[in-house]
Amino acid sequence: EHLNDRSDEICELYNNVGNVYLTINDFDEAVKYYESALSMKSSLLGNNHIDTTGTICNLGQAHVGLGNLDKALELYNQALSIREKHGKNRKDVGQVCNEIGNIYIKLKRYGDAQIFLQRSLRGKRQSASNNDPSHIENELITLSNLGHLFFKKEQYSKA
């Protein structure tokens, strides 16, 4: 079920090189490396395997950088669907919902953005552990995005 050690290392290498290109805003190169990693993982594990979702999200982020918002939305929805089918924790689902919400803000689809950002916040709160200091940061990121959304909607008192 898991990639063999060598294949896993190669996939991780492609993904990490993609991360470097993403960090320096070379989104075309990032897409190439993420697609290579995803292709390898998908051929070994299947298109709907939970281990593909991190790379799918990275690929979505690169497409956001390129301005290909429809493609990014498609990728994030794919990752969301896989994570939900596999019962991935609510925090991981919440993070994907947050990214989808941000894309909807960019597309000026504010109603859809609000639905996904609120879903993200619910998921993050439900998965929060008092022992996990990062849960506060995760909540604050989504709350900030909701504030940005309300500002865009000119609902300043909610922002």
Side-chain angles (χ1 to χ4, degrees):
E1 182 167 286
H2 292 284
L3 297 171
N4 68 45
D5 289 340
R6 185 74 176 132
S7 296
D8 190 38
E9 289 173 7
I10 294 168
C11 288
E12 193 67 25
L13 177 64
Y14 281 134
N15 194 69
N16 289 342
V17 173
N19 289 341
V20 170
Y21 281 115
L22 187 72
T23 300
I24 62 170
N25 297 326
D26 189 341
F27 304 115
D28 288 316
E29 285 298 310
V31 165
K32 289 178 191 175
Y33 281 93
Y34 291 142
E35 285 178 344
S36 294
L38 183 58
S39 176
M40 181 180 279
K41 282 184 180 183
S42 295
S43 68
L44 293 167
L45 300 172
N47 291 330
N48 293 314
H49 195 280
I50 191 68
D51 289 346
T52 64
T53 61
T55 303
I56 292 169
C57 288
N58 289 343
L59 187 54
Q61 190 175 6
H63 278 287
V64 168
L66 289 169
N68 301 335
L69 300 180
D70 290 333
K71 180 64 176 177
L73 193 56
E74 174 187 324
L75 289 161
Y76 280 119
N77 277 309
Q78 179 185 358
L80 179 61
S81 175
I82 294 169
R83 286 182 177 181
E84 288 175 330
K85 285 179 189 172
H86 289 273
K88 195 73 170 155
N89 73 49
R90 290 183 177 113
K91 179 181 171 187
D92 288 339
V93 169
Q95 289 170 336
V96 177
C97 288
N98 188 68
E99 297 301 329
I100 292 170
N102 286 333
I103 293 170
Y104 280 134
I105 290 172
K106 290 177 186 199
L107 292 170
K108 298 182 180 181
R109 292 175 53 184
Y110 300 135
D112 291 327
Q114 187 170 345
I115 289 167
F116 277 92
L117 291 173
Q118 287 175 334
R119 183 175 171 196
S120 172
L121 188 60
R122 277 192 310 274
K124 289 177 181 181
R125 286 182 172 165
Q126 289 172 352
S127 69
S129 165
N130 292 333
N131 299 329
D132 180 9
S134 69
H135 87 271
I136 294 172
E137 180 183 353
N138 288 328
E139 276 190 45
L140 290 174
I141 289 168
T142 300
L143 286 169
S144 175
N145 292 336
L146 276 165
H148 177 71
L149 168 66
F150 289 128
F151 181 82
K152 291 283 198 177
K153 291 172 70 172
E154 299 181 359
Q155 295 178 352
Y156 303 118
S157 63
K158 289 183 179 182

